[in-house]
Amino acid sequence: MNGRLSELLSSAPPHPRRVVCMTEETTEVLYRIGAEELVVGVSGFTVRPPEARKKPRVSSFLDANFERILELKPDLVLGFSDLQADLGRELCKRGVPVFLFNQRSVAEILQAVRVTGALVGRAEAADALAAELTANLERHADAAQGLPRRPRIFFEEWHEPLISGIRWCSELVELVGGEDVCRESRASHGAKGRIFEPEEVARRDPEGVIASWCGRKAKRDKIASRPGWAGVRAVVEDQLYEVKSSYILQPGPAALSDGVDRLARIVAAIARGEKLPVPRGADLRGA
């Protein structure tokens, strides 16, 4: 190679070698495709995989320690959604390359897995991970065909105000055999379009409630005491469940593996007129 060209190309590697992840799903993807050595900084909310928590924590969801990020000398920062747009803008102003994902659907999550791998030169491994996750979804979709019925489900992402599940949660509920009673709200890109009055959800009379309050433990009394909910079938029959947000509310591998696995067990139990147990020390039933 020409010496001058070689010198020019040596100023940056072919693919990023130092990656900061401001949300946990990209961290999980990089670990699952064998690229954990590239991760030099993570979100403080990271829980998957557990060993990733040993990495320097440089951000929450809405805030970031810009000076700490710069000290890590990243050649790529990964973020998620319009809510991190200001963080991305500030990092760009400081000369840091940033890629912001904005996935909302199951298909977009799988695409984001592939894109993450491609960005760091691990496209083949990312394709394999996406195929593994897709096979798990296919398994649950096939199993749902054998359920005796499709129960009405309300997936709640927050309690005050009452917010229905983001698009991938709604899609997964239906994939495993449920009917999302607030299905129309999945078209909303932001949370404001998924706010419902408790009385309206009660009118739709869900047979099961699946709560996943981001970063907070769901409470039975908060659900059962809502206006008009005393006669809701899910309350009357005690079909109130919780799925931890770390399993289902991050748009990455967790939602399409552990998250959907739990949704499937819950929906199948409700469809068969059964009840899953309440875990020790928990307030709601679990899977």
Side-chain angles (χ1 to χ4, degrees):
M1 182 182 292
N2 178 279
R4 179 164 294 181
L5 176 59
S6 178
E7 181 181 352
L8 289 173
L9 296 182
S10 68
S11 64
H15 297 96
R17 293 179 180 171
R18 298 182 62 80
V19 182
V20 165
C21 302
M22 295 194 297
T23 55
E24 61 182 335
E25 67 277 354
T26 47
T27 300
E28 184 177 10
V29 169
L30 291 173
Y31 271 76
R32 295 213 32 191
I33 64 174
E36 62 271 17
E37 79 280 358
L38 303 180
V39 180
V40 296
V42 300
S43 162
F45 293 128
T46 298
V47 296
R48 296 170 64 96
E51 56 267 31
R53 293 183 62 81
K54 298 176 183 177
K55 302 278 186 172
R57 301 178 198 177
V58 298
S59 67
S60 61
F61 192 66
L62 299 178
D63 297 289
N65 186 333
F66 298 114
E67 299 306 322
R68 183 68 179 113
I69 292 175
L70 292 175
E71 288 172 1
L72 294 171
K73 300 186 181 341
D75 44 15
L76 179 64
V77 172
L78 300 174
F80 169 68
S81 86
D82 54 300
L83 296 176
Q84 291 195 330
D86 289 340
L87 304 183
R89 181 185 301 111
E90 180 61 28
L91 288 167
C92 284
K93 288 166 61 177
R94 298 186 185 213
V96 179
V98 177
F99 192 106
L100 285 183
F101 290 94
N102 217 7
Q103 68 269 32
R104 292 296 193 281
S105 68
V106 168
E108 289 168 349
I109 291 173
L110 291 168
Q111 182 189 75
V113 167
R114 294 185 172 95
V115 171
T116 300
L119 285 170
V120 298
R122 308 287 179 93
E124 186 174 341
D127 282 341
L129 174 57
E132 175 188 333
L133 296 170
T134 300
N136 190 48
L137 297 177
E138 290 174 345
R139 177 174 66 86
H140 284 302
D142 289 343
Q145 299 301 310
L147 295 179
R149 62 190 184 87
R150 296 180 64 89
R152 301 184 307 278
I153 303 294
F154 176 59
F155 187 105
E156 60 176 78
E157 188 178 318
W158 196 243
H159 60 301
E160 293 177 349
L162 190 57
I163 301 177
S164 66
I166 198 166
R167 180 173 175 175
W168 70 80
C169 294
S170 172
E171 290 179 342
L172 291 175
V173 164
E174 299 206 328
L175 180 126
V176 301
E179 293 289 349
D180 179 6
V181 299
C182 295
R183 186 181 193 278
E184 77 278 9
S185 67
R186 73 167 61 161
S188 174
H189 205 66
K192 289 183 179 179
R194 293 184 282 113
I195 295 175
F196 286 83
E197 291 298 325
E199 294 88 348
E200 174 56 25
V201 178
R203 186 188 67 79
R204 302 182 185 200
D205 194 26
E207 300 166 76
V209 172
I210 303 173
S212 188
W213 299 353
C214 188
R216 177 177 291 189
K217 191 175 183 64
K219 297 292 185 181
R220 177 183 301 275
D221 62 337
K222 291 281 188 181
I223 295 173
S225 64
R226 291 170 180 152
W229 277 55
V232 169
R233 186 167 172 181
V235 174
V236 172
E237 298 184 356
D238 193 20
Q239 292 283 21
L240 305 178
Y241 292 85
E242 179 178 29
V243 174
K244 290 182 179 179
S245 58
S246 60
Y247 291 132
I248 195 66
L249 292 187
Q250 59 107 318
L256 307 189
S257 55
D258 290 345
V260 70
D261 291 354
R262 284 163 170 75
L263 292 182
R265 289 194 287 272
I266 292 168
V267 171
I270 298 170
R272 296 180 180 127
E274 302 168 351
K275 296 178 183 178
L276 298 180
V278 179
R280 180 178 297 178
D283 202 29
L284 300 174
R285 299 184 186 279

